Amino acid sequence: MASGSTFLRFWLTERPRDTFLSYIPKEELPAFRLACHDFGVRAAPLLFEDTTITFRPSTFTKPARMAALGRIGHHIQTLTFSMPHTPETFLPPLLDPVTGEEVTFIYEPYTQSTRNSATRLSNPIYGSWELTDLLVKQYSPLFHAAANVPTFIRAFQALPTLNHLKISCPDQEAGQRYRRSIVDYALISLRIAIERCKLPLLSSLSLVSIHPGAALYLNPTMGFGTRPNSVKKWKQIKNLAVCMDSTPFSPYPPSDHLKILHSYLHVFASSLRNFVFRWHGSNGLSPLSLDKEICLQHRSPGMACPRRCHLALRPLKFDKLRNMEVENIVVDASQVSSFITAHRHTIREFNFENTHLRSGTWDQALAPLTRISGSEKWKEKAEEVMDVPLLFSPVDNEENKAQDLVVDYFNCKPRALRPSIGAWQRAGARSRDLFWGTPEHMKRFLRTSIFSWR
């Protein structure tokens, strides 16, 4: 066992100490911090750098919770804000208690923060005293906590080193797509808090699992408490990852959610460098070429805002985009070709996973690469080379374990930037065939391998 002076010398040396702490499992760090005061101080940054908050009525209102957030907030670098859709987040119509008729509720965020109880009680939070009384009596405390913008602002003021924000709002039913829930009010408060707090290091945003309507409430250019300088804060975002529930895209159902998504992505057009988008569920349209979709161009005159229905969407152009990945989409070869041509000066790598072409071929989709490089040599380098995990000792559930290995490989794959034109990647069914191979290919590989396979 090391002597006290040897251990003290080791503990006071920053690099060995940090390396040692990095090997301690996160679930054991709370017990490790209880050993002594200095252990608690040194281990706190590792324990709290990635924090998850599941929103509840007392999350930002309970004094003890806010005091704890104030103590550890400067360690938090990645924050996951989670609020799943549940029966508790459903909002029924607001009814007049006398006549039984539905009461119209036009929401305007209340952002004034005051510690004077007399001043706070003298101003109605929801526009009028009658409406405020109805909301207090008919809606749950979770709604009032979600609409309490000042508490969100105070919470994010305690996170000066935040650089990555993750938002997770899963499990919305398809039948509730056009109904506002408590989750949407929480997203409004969250967006306002980010815009009004000083977060100089914030550069990454991940919408881990969200419903299509979330893009409306997170959009700083549309209503709900926006300011002229609201967009400025979101210009800091350089890395954006979106996993959104799929929405219909035929010419007949409403396509409002796709237009809202198109408008939301325009917010990041001048600053985004890395972009990942995935449709959860059935295949969806490419978010990069919605301006070319027929279902968004021809609208019936009976729809809302008939004066604007005929206006074409502005093309989406990212000025600094370097890496792009989309998954589970349906797209035309011409749309892929137009995207490559428009971003040829900045983009260095793109990836189409589980992408289906409605028209054209991949050779037509990637034709701009030939014009850019001046030859077809890029096709010689288009084939991806990967390390395929092999299981030489078959056991139960072999196929499932192999799939897990592949998932782990992709999760751990470094995303290094490749400056050469050969790094442009072709994806879809052909890429998966190249990865998995065919039975004949595997037999030839095993016959020529140094391993004996019988």
Side-chain angles (χ1 to χ4, degrees), residues 258-298:
L258 295 175
K259 288 188 175 182
I260 292 172
L261 173 62
H262 183 79
S263 175
Y264 180 65
L265 294 179
H266 263 289
V267 175
F268 309 97
S270 63
S271 61
L272 207 59
R273 296 184 179 180
N274 303 292
F275 178 57
V276 178
F277 188 93
R278 176 180 181 269
W279 286 112
H280 178 262
S282 58
N283 293 337
L285 298 177
S286 171
L288 305 174
S289 55
L290 293 176
D291 59 293
K292 297 179 176 62
E293 294 295 339
I294 298 178
C295 65
L296 299 180
Q297 294 176 358
H298 302 287

Side-chain angles (χ1 to χ4, degrees), residues 228-248:
N229 61 346
S230 294
V231 180
K232 182 179 180 180
K233 179 67 65 174
W234 300 101
K235 296 295 185 182
Q236 299 178 198
I237 301 298
K238 297 180 176 62
N239 310 297
L240 176 64
V242 181
C243 180
M244 180 176 288
D245 296 336
S246 59
T247 183

Side-chain angles (χ1 to χ4, degrees), residues 360-380:
T361 64
W362 280 108
D363 288 334
Q364 295 173 346
L366 302 180
L369 298 182
T370 302
R371 296 194 295 269
I372 295 173
S373 61
S375 66
E376 295 187 353
K377 291 184 178 180
W378 62 270
K379 293 184 179 181
E380 301 173 2

Side-chain angles (χ1 to χ4, degrees), residues 9 24 37 177 246 251 275 315 347 448:
R9 222 171 22 250
I24 299 179
H37 178 268
R177 292 286 167 82
S246 59
F275 178 57
I347 197 166
T448 58

Side-chain angles (χ1 to χ4, degrees), residues 183-244:
V183 175
D184 299 322
Y185 288 94
L187 293 179
I188 295 173
S189 300
L190 179 67
R191 194 208 74 238
I192 295 175
I194 294 173
E195 294 169 358
R196 303 194 181 186
C197 293
K198 293 182 179 180
L199 302 172
L201 302 180
L202 182 62
S203 61
S204 300
L205 175 63
S206 297
L207 307 181
V208 181
S209 180
I210 61 168
H211 52 291
L216 170 64
Y217 305 107
L218 293 174
N219 194 330
T221 64
M222 300 182 178
F224 302 112
T226 58
R227 289 180 172 181
N229 61 346
S230 294
V231 180
K232 182 179 180 180
K233 179 67 65 174
W234 300 101
K235 296 295 185 182
Q236 299 178 198
I237 301 298
K238 297 180 176 62
N239 310 297
L240 176 64
V242 181
C243 180
M244 180 176 288

